[in-house]
Amino acid sequence: MNFWFSVLRQTGRNLRQTWPTQFMTCLTVSLSVLIFSFFYLVYLNMLTAGDKVSDDLRLVVFLEDEPGPEMQEQLRNKITQFDPVQEIKFISKKEAYDRFAEQLGDNREVLTDMPTDFLPPSIEVIPFKNFRSLKQIKLFADYLATIPGSQKVQYGQKWVERFYSFTQLLSIIVLLSGLLLFLTASFMVASTIRLTIFGRQEELELLKLVGATNNYIRTPFLLEGLMQGFLGSFLGLTALYTLFQWFIRHFSGAGFLDIIPFSFFSPGIIATILLASIALCTIGSYTSMQKFLRV
Amino acid sequence: MTTTRPAPSRTAMIEIIKVSKEYPPHMTALSDISVSVASGEMFFVIGKSGAGKTTLLKLLCNMERPSNGLIEVAGMNINQITGNKLAKLRQRVGMAYQDFRLLADRTVAENIAISMEVSYKKPQIISERVKSLLAQLQLEDKHDDLTGNLSRGEQQRVALARAVANSPTLILVDEPTGNLDAISTAQVMDLLSKCTLSGATVVIVTHDDAIYRHTHHRVMKLDQGRIAALSQGNHI
Ligand SMILES: Nc1ncnc2c1ncn2[C@@H]1O[C@H](COP(=O)(O)OP(=O)(O)OP(=O)(O)O)[C@@H](O)[C@H]1O
Ligand SMILES: [Mg+2]
């Protein structure tokens, strides 16, 4: 009880004396939380978008001839040798014709003079809806080109590849900004606390001489680090949330962005970011304090 | 652990056995000091400037370590204890430093309170104790002044008040009356006598022969780091 009373008063004193530095540190922490969580949020939303887009993702293998039932079984085996897939559909010439006619709708009379078997038969391969199959799609397509009777393999090639390399770039940026966050949170806070310690050396020495325990000396500084971590990440996330809301309000209903269901972090991720920066900042101040107490 | 030593008549608060202190590179501040101070005793240490008096006090509160020999305070070898044990011991040892070590940007009351805060005394008890000490030293009107603005003599008394505030069992004072007039000197000695009466051991380092000339307590004279004389006193 009296311990916490003393510790809180000491913390108040520290803040009153050094608030400009403390404020700057807090801002730096929140800025790096903002940068990190911004990229992370974009990354997460790209992943969901990737999932959503891969709903429509299918590989179409055009064949020379319609395969018989036995041949179909063989082809099936061949395809699943590469990777298990969600579905394999064989489309006969007739089916292809019907589909096409349906797509034409009211304009179907252009087909009246055409034979019903002018379209080639094909196999539709629907991969599992996960990010891994998106990553492998090019390899898969190359593989499908080698199965017997295959003439041509189609998928949204350019698009998928671009999407994939973009997400990969993004994951690197997320890692880098995570590193930035780690460095600022631990080192900035550590050096701020070091500055505070330096400015109060006389008092801390005296405290040791009159018999203050290490915990008595240390706890106010740990509390400061903890507050830096909490306030910094709270501010950073609040700023990101505001940005996010603004973005949604201004860009939703604007064409292509409607495809992607944008969403903010889940409570679990928010808690993790908060806890991680609190932990980093507290560890930063702890290490500074240990250096001082050992002297 | 216990060595075979003739047991002192009263339990010893301080045991100094063959202690030397050398400051690097070649300054021998104390050499071969052996003395024992009983608990509840008032003990004077005198000697020329540079004789090693402050060094002796610093050894007693573990601000410096002896180069040789053994120092026991309250039965503990103070150079072997560390961490929380050392902190607990220091809470029971009050020292008034020759250079005061007051925090210039804090008020008189805050400076005195520090020694009680570290042992988690209740705020109300602290403020009462501060007021009563200031009254005894006639500094009531300085309660809220910053110590940086006080005169040397006032600072000296604040440093003393901080040393005795937590009712320590061992009080070490370095030149407590150096900047004081006769009346203030009498008040300071009065306060220290009260502390011995309530059981504390008090070691006073001084130049001021007015306070030790007619004393019935023991007086130890240091000269160039050695014990030059140790009067027996006549209080027992
Ligand atoms: N940290 C130090 N490093 C080197 N030499 C020191 C140190 N502290 C004290 N000394 C030397 O040790 C000797 C004893 O110093 P000390 O401070 O104990 O003297 P003193 O008896 O208290 O003197 P005074 O009456 O002037 O306060 C002095 O010669 C001093 O120069
Ligand atoms: Mg001295």
Side-chain angles (χ1 to χ4, degrees), chain B residues 23-24 27-29 47-56 58 64 98 174-175 205 207 222:
Chain B
Y23 288 112
M27 179 65 226
T28 306
K48 283 206 299 267
S49 180
K53 306 181 297 293
T54 300
T55 303
L56 187 68
K58 283 184 175 172
E64 297 282 356
Q98 195 168 10
D174 203 343
E175 296 288 353
V205 162
H207 280 135
L222 289 180

PDB file of all heavy atoms in Angstrom, chain B residues 23-24 27-29 47-56 58 64 98 174-175 205 207 222, ligand 1:
ATOM      1  N   TYR B  23      43.146   4.713  -1.005  1.00  0.00           N
ATOM      2  CA  TYR B  23      42.531   5.181  -2.248  1.00  0.00           C
ATOM      3  C   TYR B  23      43.565   5.042  -3.344  1.00  0.00           C
ATOM      4  O   TYR B  23      44.719   5.399  -3.152  1.00  0.00           O
ATOM      5  CB  TYR B  23      42.120   6.650  -2.128  1.00  0.00           C
ATOM      6  CG  TYR B  23      40.920   6.887  -1.236  1.00  0.00           C
ATOM      7  CD1 TYR B  23      41.056   7.557  -0.029  1.00  0.00           C
ATOM      8  CD2 TYR B  23      39.654   6.468  -1.622  1.00  0.00           C
ATOM      9  CE1 TYR B  23      39.964   7.806   0.784  1.00  0.00           C
ATOM     10  CE2 TYR B  23      38.558   6.705  -0.811  1.00  0.00           C
ATOM     11  CZ  TYR B  23      38.713   7.367   0.389  1.00  0.00           C
ATOM     12  OH  TYR B  23      37.629   7.594   1.180  1.00  0.00           O
ATOM     13  N   PRO B  24      43.155   4.542  -4.478  1.00  0.00           N
ATOM     14  CA  PRO B  24      44.130   4.470  -5.562  1.00  0.00           C
ATOM     15  C   PRO B  24      44.573   5.884  -5.971  1.00  0.00           C
ATOM     16  O   PRO B  24      43.759   6.789  -5.887  1.00  0.00           O
ATOM     17  CB  PRO B  24      43.360   3.781  -6.693  1.00  0.00           C
ATOM     18  CG  PRO B  24      41.924   3.923  -6.331  1.00  0.00           C
ATOM     19  CD  PRO B  24      41.852   4.015  -4.845  1.00  0.00           C
ATOM     20  N   MET B  27      47.101   6.702  -1.870  1.00  0.00           N
ATOM     21  CA  MET B  27      46.675   7.489  -0.716  1.00  0.00           C
ATOM     22  C   MET B  27      46.182   6.553   0.389  1.00  0.00           C
ATOM     23  O   MET B  27      45.150   5.897   0.238  1.00  0.00           O
ATOM     24  CB  MET B  27      45.542   8.418  -1.164  1.00  0.00           C
ATOM     25  CG  MET B  27      44.981   9.270  -0.058  1.00  0.00           C
ATOM     26  SD  MET B  27      46.178  10.425   0.568  1.00  0.00           S
ATOM     27  CE  MET B  27      45.945  10.212   2.316  1.00  0.00           C
ATOM     28  N   THR B  28      46.925   6.478   1.449  1.00  0.00           N
ATOM     29  CA  THR B  28      46.475   5.661   2.572  1.00  0.00           C
ATOM     30  C   THR B  28      45.686   6.553   3.518  1.00  0.00           C
ATOM     31  O   THR B  28      46.259   7.364   4.246  1.00  0.00           O
ATOM     32  CB  THR B  28      47.658   5.021   3.311  1.00  0.00           C
ATOM     33  OG1 THR B  28      48.440   4.322   2.356  1.00  0.00           O
ATOM     34  CG2 THR B  28      47.173   4.058   4.375  1.00  0.00           C
ATOM     35  N   ALA B  29      44.352   6.442   3.479  1.00  0.00           N
ATOM     36  CA  ALA B  29      43.512   7.318   4.282  1.00  0.00           C
ATOM     37  C   ALA B  29      43.365   6.793   5.707  1.00  0.00           C
ATOM     38  O   ALA B  29      43.284   7.562   6.659  1.00  0.00           O
ATOM     39  CB  ALA B  29      42.144   7.477   3.638  1.00  0.00           C
ATOM     40  N   GLY B  47      40.270  15.103  14.818  1.00  0.00           N
ATOM     41  CA  GLY B  47      41.537  15.010  14.116  1.00  0.00           C
ATOM     42  C   GLY B  47      41.646  16.099  13.063  1.00  0.00           C
ATOM     43  O   GLY B  47      40.644  16.712  12.684  1.00  0.00           O
ATOM     44  N   LYS B  48      42.883  16.308  12.644  1.00  0.00           N
ATOM     45  CA  LYS B  48      43.146  17.356  11.658  1.00  0.00           C
ATOM     46  C   LYS B  48      42.392  17.080  10.352  1.00  0.00           C
ATOM     47  O   LYS B  48      42.004  15.955  10.074  1.00  0.00           O
ATOM     48  CB  LYS B  48      44.642  17.399  11.351  1.00  0.00           C
ATOM     49  CG  LYS B  48      45.488  18.070  12.389  1.00  0.00           C
ATOM     50  CD  LYS B  48      46.765  18.635  11.759  1.00  0.00           C
ATOM     51  CE  LYS B  48      47.639  17.575  11.128  1.00  0.00           C
ATOM     52  NZ  LYS B  48      48.677  17.052  12.034  1.00  0.00           N
ATOM     53  N   SER B  49      42.286  18.116   9.549  1.00  0.00           N
ATOM     54  CA  SER B  49      41.709  17.943   8.216  1.00  0.00           C
ATOM     55  C   SER B  49      42.565  16.945   7.429  1.00  0.00           C
ATOM     56  O   SER B  49      43.785  17.036   7.430  1.00  0.00           O
ATOM     57  CB  SER B  49      41.671  19.295   7.508  1.00  0.00           C
ATOM     58  OG  SER B  49      41.127  19.129   6.233  1.00  0.00           O
ATOM     59  N   GLY B  50      41.901  15.992   6.798  1.00  0.00           N
ATOM     60  CA  GLY B  50      42.629  14.982   6.025  1.00  0.00           C
ATOM     61  C   GLY B  50      43.085  13.806   6.853  1.00  0.00           C
ATOM     62  O   GLY B  50      43.770  12.920   6.349  1.00  0.00           O
ATOM     63  N   ALA B  51      42.669  13.744   8.113  1.00  0.00           N
ATOM     64  CA  ALA B  51      43.118  12.654   8.984  1.00  0.00           C
ATOM     65  C   ALA B  51      42.418  11.337   8.669  1.00  0.00           C
ATOM     66  O   ALA B  51      42.887  10.274   9.071  1.00  0.00           O
ATOM     67  CB  ALA B  51      42.894  13.039  10.447  1.00  0.00           C
ATOM     68  N   GLY B  52      41.278  11.391   7.975  1.00  0.00           N
ATOM     69  CA  GLY B  52      40.583  10.148   7.616  1.00  0.00           C
ATOM     70  C   GLY B  52      39.250   9.974   8.313  1.00  0.00           C
ATOM     71  O   GLY B  52      38.668   8.887   8.273  1.00  0.00           O
ATOM     72  N   LYS B  53      38.747  11.043   8.899  1.00  0.00           N
ATOM     73  CA  LYS B  53      37.500  10.922   9.677  1.00  0.00           C
ATOM     74  C   LYS B  53      36.309  10.596   8.774  1.00  0.00           C
ATOM     75  O   LYS B  53      35.533   9.667   9.055  1.00  0.00           O
ATOM     76  CB  LYS B  53      37.240  12.249  10.424  1.00  0.00           C
ATOM     77  CG  LYS B  53      38.414  12.710  11.279  1.00  0.00           C
ATOM     78  CD  LYS B  53      38.123  14.001  12.007  1.00  0.00           C
ATOM     79  CE  LYS B  53      37.874  15.202  11.100  1.00  0.00           C
ATOM     80  NZ  LYS B  53      39.056  15.643  10.342  1.00  0.00           N
ATOM     81  N   THR B  54      36.162  11.363   7.693  1.00  0.00           N
ATOM     82  CA  THR B  54      35.042  11.112   6.776  1.00  0.00           C
ATOM     83  C   THR B  54      35.161   9.720   6.151  1.00  0.00           C
ATOM     84  O   THR B  54      34.165   8.998   6.001  1.00  0.00           O
ATOM     85  CB  THR B  54      34.995  12.193   5.681  1.00  0.00           C
ATOM     86  OG1 THR B  54      34.821  13.459   6.307  1.00  0.00           O
ATOM     87  CG2 THR B  54      33.853  11.938   4.713  1.00  0.00           C
ATOM     88  N   THR B  55      36.379   9.353   5.820  1.00  0.00           N
ATOM     89  CA  THR B  55      36.603   8.023   5.256  1.00  0.00           C
ATOM     90  C   THR B  55      36.083   6.947   6.199  1.00  0.00           C
ATOM     91  O   THR B  55      35.433   5.982   5.770  1.00  0.00           O
ATOM     92  CB  THR B  55      38.101   7.816   4.985  1.00  0.00           C
ATOM     93  OG1 THR B  55      38.553   8.854   4.117  1.00  0.00           O
ATOM     94  CG2 THR B  55      38.364   6.469   4.350  1.00  0.00           C
ATOM     95  N   LEU B  56      36.344   7.114   7.504  1.00  0.00           N
ATOM     96  CA  LEU B  56      35.881   6.135   8.483  1.00  0.00           C
ATOM     97  C   LEU B  56      34.353   6.011   8.448  1.00  0.00           C
ATOM     98  O   LEU B  56      33.809   4.903   8.439  1.00  0.00           O
ATOM     99  CB  LEU B  56      36.355   6.548   9.884  1.00  0.00           C
ATOM    100  CG  LEU B  56      36.100   5.539  10.998  1.00  0.00           C
ATOM    101  CD1 LEU B  56      36.952   4.298  10.792  1.00  0.00           C
ATOM    102  CD2 LEU B  56      36.390   6.164  12.360  1.00  0.00           C
ATOM    103  N   LYS B  58      32.381   6.767   5.962  1.00  0.00           N
ATOM    104  CA  LYS B  58      31.958   6.175   4.686  1.00  0.00           C
ATOM    105  C   LYS B  58      32.102   4.661   4.701  1.00  0.00           C
ATOM    106  O   LYS B  58      31.289   3.934   4.120  1.00  0.00           O
ATOM    107  CB  LYS B  58      32.782   6.755   3.536  1.00  0.00           C
ATOM    108  CG  LYS B  58      32.336   8.151   3.138  1.00  0.00           C
ATOM    109  CD  LYS B  58      33.106   8.668   1.943  1.00  0.00           C
ATOM    110  CE  LYS B  58      32.567  10.006   1.495  1.00  0.00           C
ATOM    111  NZ  LYS B  58      33.442  10.603   0.460  1.00  0.00           N
ATOM    112  N   GLU B  64      32.099   3.198   0.979  1.00  0.00           N
ATOM    113  CA  GLU B  64      33.419   2.756   0.519  1.00  0.00           C
ATOM    114  C   GLU B  64      33.678   1.400   1.170  1.00  0.00           C
ATOM    115  O   GLU B  64      33.087   1.069   2.198  1.00  0.00           O
ATOM    116  CB  GLU B  64      34.507   3.742   0.965  1.00  0.00           C
ATOM    117  CG  GLU B  64      34.385   5.143   0.388  1.00  0.00           C
ATOM    118  CD  GLU B  64      34.879   5.235  -1.044  1.00  0.00           C
ATOM    119  OE1 GLU B  64      35.384   4.211  -1.564  1.00  0.00           O
ATOM    120  OE2 GLU B  64      34.733   6.320  -1.638  1.00  0.00           O
ATOM    121  N   GLN B  98      29.058  15.348   5.281  1.00  0.00           N
ATOM    122  CA  GLN B  98      29.790  16.608   5.387  1.00  0.00           C
ATOM    123  C   GLN B  98      29.350  17.563   4.276  1.00  0.00           C
ATOM    124  O   GLN B  98      29.231  18.758   4.490  1.00  0.00           O
ATOM    125  CB  GLN B  98      31.296  16.331   5.275  1.00  0.00           C
ATOM    126  CG  GLN B  98      32.149  17.487   5.728  1.00  0.00           C
ATOM    127  CD  GLN B  98      33.614  17.085   5.883  1.00  0.00           C
ATOM    128  OE1 GLN B  98      34.024  16.000   5.482  1.00  0.00           O
ATOM    129  NE2 GLN B  98      34.402  17.964   6.472  1.00  0.00           N
ATOM    130  N   ASP B 174      28.737  13.917  10.311  1.00  0.00           N
ATOM    131  CA  ASP B 174      30.038  14.448   9.894  1.00  0.00           C
ATOM    132  C   ASP B 174      29.990  15.969  10.018  1.00  0.00           C
ATOM    133  O   ASP B 174      29.260  16.622   9.269  1.00  0.00           O
ATOM    134  CB  ASP B 174      30.309  14.015   8.445  1.00  0.00           C
ATOM    135  CG  ASP B 174      31.788  14.029   8.115  1.00  0.00           C
ATOM    136  OD1 ASP B 174      32.546  14.661   8.868  1.00  0.00           O
ATOM    137  OD2 ASP B 174      32.170  13.414   7.103  1.00  0.00           O
ATOM    138  N   GLU B 175      30.747  16.509  10.954  1.00  0.00           N
ATOM    139  CA  GLU B 175      30.788  17.959  11.173  1.00  0.00           C
ATOM    140  C   GLU B 175      29.391  18.560  11.335  1.00  0.00           C
ATOM    141  O   GLU B 175      28.982  19.401  10.545  1.00  0.00           O
ATOM    142  CB  GLU B 175      31.460  18.656   9.978  1.00  0.00           C
ATOM    143  CG  GLU B 175      32.899  18.293   9.774  1.00  0.00           C
ATOM    144  CD  GLU B 175      33.812  18.893  10.840  1.00  0.00           C
ATOM    145  OE1 GLU B 175      33.323  19.705  11.670  1.00  0.00           O
ATOM    146  OE2 GLU B 175      34.986  18.533  10.859  1.00  0.00           O
ATOM    147  N   VAL B 205      31.673  13.105  14.107  1.00  0.00           N
ATOM    148  CA  VAL B 205      32.975  13.564  13.632  1.00  0.00           C
ATOM    149  C   VAL B 205      32.996  15.076  13.752  1.00  0.00           C
ATOM    150  O   VAL B 205      32.044  15.745  13.331  1.00  0.00           O
ATOM    151  CB  VAL B 205      33.179  13.153  12.166  1.00  0.00           C
ATOM    152  CG1 VAL B 205      34.288  13.969  11.525  1.00  0.00           C
ATOM    153  CG2 VAL B 205      33.467  11.673  12.064  1.00  0.00           C
ATOM    154  N   HIS B 207      35.398  19.010  14.350  1.00  0.00           N
ATOM    155  CA  HIS B 207      36.558  19.868  14.614  1.00  0.00           C
ATOM    156  C   HIS B 207      36.308  20.728  15.834  1.00  0.00           C
ATOM    157  O   HIS B 207      37.214  21.363  16.346  1.00  0.00           O
ATOM    158  CB  HIS B 207      36.738  20.862  13.451  1.00  0.00           C
ATOM    159  CG  HIS B 207      37.414  20.279  12.270  1.00  0.00           C
ATOM    160  ND1 HIS B 207      36.964  20.494  10.997  1.00  0.00           N
ATOM    161  CD2 HIS B 207      38.511  19.510  12.158  1.00  0.00           C
ATOM    162  CE1 HIS B 207      37.762  19.868  10.153  1.00  0.00           C
ATOM    163  NE2 HIS B 207      38.701  19.256  10.834  1.00  0.00           N
ATOM    164  N   LEU B 222      42.192  10.910  15.428  1.00  0.00           N
ATOM    165  CA  LEU B 222      42.897  10.316  14.295  1.00  0.00           C
ATOM    166  C   LEU B 222      44.008  11.259  13.858  1.00  0.00           C
ATOM    167  O   LEU B 222      43.859  12.479  13.908  1.00  0.00           O
ATOM    168  CB  LEU B 222      41.951  10.087  13.113  1.00  0.00           C
ATOM    169  CG  LEU B 222      40.899   8.974  13.241  1.00  0.00           C
ATOM    170  CD1 LEU B 222      40.076   8.904  11.964  1.00  0.00           C
ATOM    171  CD2 LEU B 222      41.565   7.639  13.522  1.00  0.00           C
TER     172      LEU B 222
HETATM  173  N1  LIG C   1      37.836   9.390  -3.068  1.00  0.00           N
HETATM  174  C1  LIG C   1      39.095   9.686  -2.699  1.00  0.00           C
HETATM  175  N2  LIG C   1      40.111   9.430  -3.539  1.00  0.00           N
HETATM  176  C2  LIG C   1      41.385   9.696  -3.180  1.00  0.00           C
HETATM  177  N3  LIG C   1      41.727  10.211  -2.013  1.00  0.00           N
HETATM  178  C3  LIG C   1      40.754  10.499  -1.127  1.00  0.00           C
HETATM  179  C4  LIG C   1      39.393  10.235  -1.429  1.00  0.00           C
HETATM  180  N4  LIG C   1      38.639  10.605  -0.366  1.00  0.00           N
HETATM  181  C5  LIG C   1      39.506  11.064   0.554  1.00  0.00           C
HETATM  182  N5  LIG C   1      40.764  11.009   0.094  1.00  0.00           N
HETATM  183  C6  LIG C   1      41.976  11.382   0.846  1.00  0.00           C
HETATM  184  O1  LIG C   1      41.966  10.668   2.055  1.00  0.00           O
HETATM  185  C7  LIG C   1      42.413  11.483   3.120  1.00  0.00           C
HETATM  186  C8  LIG C   1      41.370  11.464   4.224  1.00  0.00           C
HETATM  187  O2  LIG C   1      40.206  12.102   3.760  1.00  0.00           O
HETATM  188  P1  LIG C   1      38.950  12.350   4.678  1.00  0.00           P
HETATM  189  O3  LIG C   1      37.902  12.963   3.838  1.00  0.00           O
HETATM  190  O4  LIG C   1      38.631  11.119   5.388  1.00  0.00           O
HETATM  191  O5  LIG C   1      39.509  13.444   5.689  1.00  0.00           O
HETATM  192  P2  LIG C   1      38.743  14.148   6.884  1.00  0.00           P
HETATM  193  O6  LIG C   1      39.414  13.723   8.119  1.00  0.00           O
HETATM  194  O7  LIG C   1      37.300  13.934   6.800  1.00  0.00           O
HETATM  195  O8  LIG C   1      39.075  15.684   6.583  1.00  0.00           O
HETATM  196  P3  LIG C   1      38.150  16.963   6.839  1.00  0.00           P
HETATM  197  O9  LIG C   1      38.241  17.256   8.302  1.00  0.00           O
HETATM  198  O10 LIG C   1      38.792  18.031   6.030  1.00  0.00           O
HETATM  199  O11 LIG C   1      36.799  16.627   6.375  1.00  0.00           O
HETATM  200  C9  LIG C   1      42.608  12.880   2.540  1.00  0.00           C
HETATM  201  O12 LIG C   1      44.001  13.085   2.373  1.00  0.00           O
HETATM  202  C10 LIG C   1      41.930  12.843   1.212  1.00  0.00           C
HETATM  203  O13 LIG C   1      42.623  13.607   0.268  1.00  0.00           O
END
